[in-house]
Amino acid sequence: MSAYDYIIVGAGSAGCVLANRLSADPACQVLLLEAGGSDLHPFIRMPSAFSLPMNMQRFNWFYHAEPSATLQGRALHCPRGKVLGGSSSINGMVWVRGHPGDFDHWHSLGAEGWRYADVLPYFKKSETVTWPDADPTYRGTEGPLTVSRGTRANPLYDLLVTAAAQAGFATSDDLNGYQQEGFGPFDMSVQQGVRCSAARAYLQPIRQRSNLTIRTQVQVTRVTFDGNTATGVEFRQGRTRHVASSTTRVILSAGAIGSPQLLQLSGVGPAELLRRLNIPVLHDATEVGANLQDHLEVYCQQATTSPYSLNRQLGLLSKGWIGARWLLQQSGLGATNHFESGGFIRSGYDAGRPDIQYHFLPAAISYDGRAPAEGNGFQLHTGPMQSRSRGSVQIISANADDHPRIDFNYMAEEHDWQVFRQAIRTARELFSQNALADVSGAEIQPGAQCQTDQQLDAFIARQAESAYHPCGTCRMGSDDQAVVDPAGQVKGVDGLMVVDASIFPQITNGNLNAPTIMVAEKIAAGLTGETLPSESPPVYQPEQHSAEQHQPGEQTTSATREVDNQHDR
């Protein structure tokens, strides 16, 4: 094959950004390789149908984690997008940047140049927000990816925010702007009722560029090297083996599972592991595949007497009407992901920034659309954001077709259990406020009988599911053990980069699609010489011992919280 300036492995959230930005120079030849196929499928395009492509072999790698001893031996599903757009084509479309403190923490961990002031310009560069009162100090208005909000026509969305205020928590008009902390409307990557994946935002407008070659249905098997320098990649398309050459860089954007897998297959990884599998060791990089992180969540579900529960819309006739309206007008219940409000709080006084997230859904149903609760209800997807547990990704053979061993090591730290219990108890507190209590029936789960720490721990072990946010397996940092440097260059070799969520030093607060796209925007700007100056607008900081910072297990009345909240304001 012809030589390319850049070869990008993976047309997911990061790969689509890189392909767009690097091919903007007509003199730069770019090859983009993707294992999956087209994203132009109605189940991908229709926001409310996101659980369907997530459960289709055609669009999903269908990874499974190792059985977890702390979760009753369950092997949790780890879906990753295998399609143009990657996981942005099968995710829940919740657009969350993370807390400003997350990125300042990255910098403190050795990811120099990744403070919030450094990354804010690239968040703004990536997006176009659609509501008129968005503050341009914090939000983008000319980026490729459209960020919108649901209509919040269902009264339950606003009742959640009202209940949070009654409980003394802060509220925010923009959880991606000045104030992430508190409760308010959630943003979603949806454009005029259709999913706005990275493929739609970044690839679709530039597919015809003559200097951009996109190959789908491709299985990359390894990176090729001349000595210590990456020279290209080997891949299969059908039964044919190909070698593509790179004159500048090979960039792995295969995600938190795929990128460490390819590094290890190529001889960059823990030497002991590679020798055991008879893979020649090019560079002994012990942390390739280490530092795996994820978010877990449970559903805190409440029965409701309200006519607004979406459980009423699960019949065949209702689904048919929703689908028909979306097909004809891209509107109605089919045009939203239904996560239209939620919030972020701190678990206790010692939490330096929010470490619990809530997604509110006006239905009682599992994330994959199966096993709806009997009757009508609503729920909070409830989970800690800053787990201290760390896992790993390791190949099991030299065959790229074999899925690697994925061990999340969930809930290995006692602190994780403490925060999870507090998250559930606070969810119950929110449901008990007048705004929601007036429309609430009995608690569906965990259930009124589940009260003690031991009972909550058993519920978590039995019911916790991944929020599908793996990251961290090719850690970015300035120390010798980091896999990549702060520019995304793989240490110990030349001509090879990793750009995706695997380079996160620490998982962020909230969903990972927005920060993944930001990472790709920032690194692409470094490659093209179009870096943006830092911006340092003020960000919200509550007073010490405010309502957002109550201790885990602390019993605080609504009245006390309201006093604290008024003081904080």
Side-chain angles (χ1 to χ4, degrees):
M1 296 180 64
S2 301
Y4 298 86
D5 294 284
Y6 293 97
I7 298 176
I8 304 166
V9 180
S13 297
C16 288
V17 175
L18 292 164
N20 181 301
R21 300 306 190 191
L22 296 177
S23 67
D25 177 358
C28 184
Q29 294 293 323
V30 177
L31 174 64
L32 178 64
L33 301 174
E34 168 55 41
S38 170
D39 62 319
L40 299 179
H41 189 286
F43 289 164
I44 287 177
R45 291 167 55 80
M46 182 179 180
S48 68
F50 66 84
S51 68
L52 300 177
M54 184 181 291
N55 287 283
M56 296 171 68
Q57 291 277 1
R58 174 179 173 183
F59 302 124
N60 183 1
W61 282 97
F62 263 86
Y63 297 118
H64 282 82
E66 291 294 299
S68 175
T70 56
L71 301 181
Q72 297 188 347
R74 292 183 294 132
L76 300 192
H77 185 203
C78 179
R80 296 287 85 200
K82 188 180 182 181
V83 59
L84 288 174
S87 295
S88 75
S89 291
I90 66 169
N91 69 359
M93 292 155 284
V94 180
W95 186 257
V96 174
R97 291 177 173 180
H99 191 271
D102 295 339
F103 306 103
D104 293 339
H105 186 55
W106 282 13
H107 180 87
S108 72
L109 292 174
E112 297 172 357
W114 289 85
R115 293 186 179 93
Y116 177 66
D118 303 316
V119 304
L120 176 59
Y122 299 100
F123 277 122
K124 294 167 64 176
K125 182 179 181 180
S126 71
E127 68 180 12
T128 292
V129 296
T130 60
W131 53 98
D133 57 347
D135 186 347
T137 305
Y138 303 91
R139 304 310 302 266
T141 57
E142 298 179 352
L145 195 143
T146 298
V147 179
S148 61
R149 289 179 176 173
T151 63
R152 301 213 308 283
N154 190 319
L156 291 173
Y157 292 120
D158 287 336
L159 288 179
L160 169 74
V161 179
T162 301
Q166 289 173 346
F169 289 106
T171 59
S172 173
D173 293 331
D174 189 350
L175 294 168
N176 284 314
Y178 162 73
Q179 180 180 337
Q180 191 211 34
E181 193 156 352
F183 287 79
F186 267 2
D187 300 347
M188 57 184 178
S189 49
V190 173
Q191 181 181 17
Q192 296 179 337
V194 178
R195 176 194 293 271
C196 191
S197 67
R200 183 182 180 197
Y202 284 90
L203 274 192
Q204 184 175 311
I206 56 123
R207 290 290 297 265
Q208 302 308 312
R209 285 180 181 169
S210 61
N211 62 324
L212 173 63
T213 302
I214 302 173
R215 288 200 170 204
T216 58
Q217 308 294 344
V218 162
Q219 175 70 57
V220 176
T221 56
R222 71 181 183 97
V223 179
T224 61
F225 286 88
D226 181 4
N228 214 38
T229 301
T231 58
V233 297
E234 287 185 1
F235 65 92
R236 293 194 314 273
Q237 195 165 27
R239 296 184 178 181
T240 306
R241 174 182 170 275
H242 301 272
V243 177
S245 298
S246 166
T247 59
T248 304
R249 286 180 182 85
V250 173
I251 305 176
L252 303 184
S253 295
I257 310 301
S259 287
Q261 177 189 22
L262 277 173
L263 284 177
Q264 292 170 9
L265 288 170
S266 305
V268 180
E272 182 181 352
L273 169 68
L274 302 184
R275 292 190 183 108
R276 189 166 68 244
L277 299 175
N278 296 316
I279 297 173
V281 179
L282 179 69
H283 175 57
D284 181 9
T286 58
E287 283 205 28
V288 170
N291 194 46
L292 175 63
Q293 300 162 66
D294 191 19
H295 291 144
L296 284 176
E297 64 182 12
V298 296
Y299 311 138
C300 293
Q301 297 177 328
Q302 196 81 15
T304 181
T305 56
S306 164
Y308 302 113
S309 170
L310 295 181
N311 287 87
R312 296 171 179 262
Q313 307 294 331
L314 296 176
L316 289 178
L317 286 177
S318 293
K319 287 183 176 179
W321 164 245
I322 291 168
R325 182 177 177 185
W326 181 82
L327 285 169
L328 293 171
Q329 302 175 339
Q330 285 76 58
S331 63
L333 291 176
T336 175
N337 61 3
H338 301 294
F339 295 114
E340 296 187 16
S341 64
F344 301 86
I345 66 168
R346 306 183 189 212
S347 60
Y349 294 131
D350 59 345
R353 58 189 184 278
D355 59 347
I356 294 171
Q357 181 181 15
Y358 297 101
H359 298 73
F360 180 73
L361 187 68
I365 189 170
S366 63
Y367 188 88
D368 61 9
R370 291 178 290 186
E374 292 185 11
N376 303 310
F378 51 80
Q379 67 191 34
L380 279 171
H381 292 224
T382 300
M385 292 291 101
Q386 295 292 318
S387 170
R388 295 181 181 177
S389 302
R390 296 291 183 271
S392 63
V393 173
Q394 293 186 335
I395 56 174
I396 61 171
S397 77
N399 187 345
D401 292 326
D402 291 338
H403 285 181
R405 181 179 183 272
I406 304 169
D407 181 5
F408 282 101
N409 195 30
Y410 288 124
M411 305 299 290
E413 300 288 335
E414 173 57 28
H415 180 265
D416 296 347
W417 295 95
Q418 294 172 3
V419 176
F420 223 140
R421 293 178 209 127
Q422 176 62 11
I424 294 170
R425 287 174 169 138
T426 302
R428 285 171 157 168
E429 185 179 357
L430 291 168
F431 286 163
S432 73
Q433 303 304 312
N434 290 337
L436 287 173
D438 290 346
V439 296
S440 292
E443 182 176 299
I444 298 172
Q445 70 173 31
Q449 77 287 351
C450 187
Q451 297 295 333
T452 67
D453 286 358
Q454 292 74 18
Q455 290 167 337
L456 287 174
D457 289 351
F459 169 72
I460 293 165
R462 184 174 64 252
Q463 295 292 339
E465 295 288 345
S466 171
Y468 312 138
H469 299 160
C471 66
T473 48
C474 298
R475 178 178 67 87
M476 171 173 55
S478 301
D479 60 286
D480 292 340
Q481 296 304 309
V483 178
V484 302
D485 68 17
Q489 310 282 344
V490 177
K491 296 188 174 188
V493 297
D494 297 322
L496 181 60
M497 303 177 68
V498 179
V499 183
D500 54 35
S502 70
I503 74 170
F504 290 14
Q506 172 91 14
I507 199 166
T508 54
N509 282 286
N511 313 68
L512 299 194
N513 190 228
T516 301
I517 287 175
M518 175 278 293
V519 162
E521 284 278 18
K522 189 174 186 300
I523 292 180
L527 290 171
T528 62
E530 298 173 339
T531 55
L532 300 173
S534 299
E535 302 176 18
S536 301
V539 294
Y540 172 80
Q541 289 291 343
E543 293 184 16
Q544 191 175 11
H545 306 317
S546 70
E548 292 88 347
Q549 298 170 293
H550 61 286
Q551 288 280 28
E554 181 179 68
Q555 297 300 312
T556 309
T557 66
S558 298
T560 301
R561 285 192 177 230
E562 184 60 29
V563 169
D564 286 344
N565 198 44
Q566 292 296 333
H567 173 72
D568 182 50
R569 291 171 183 166

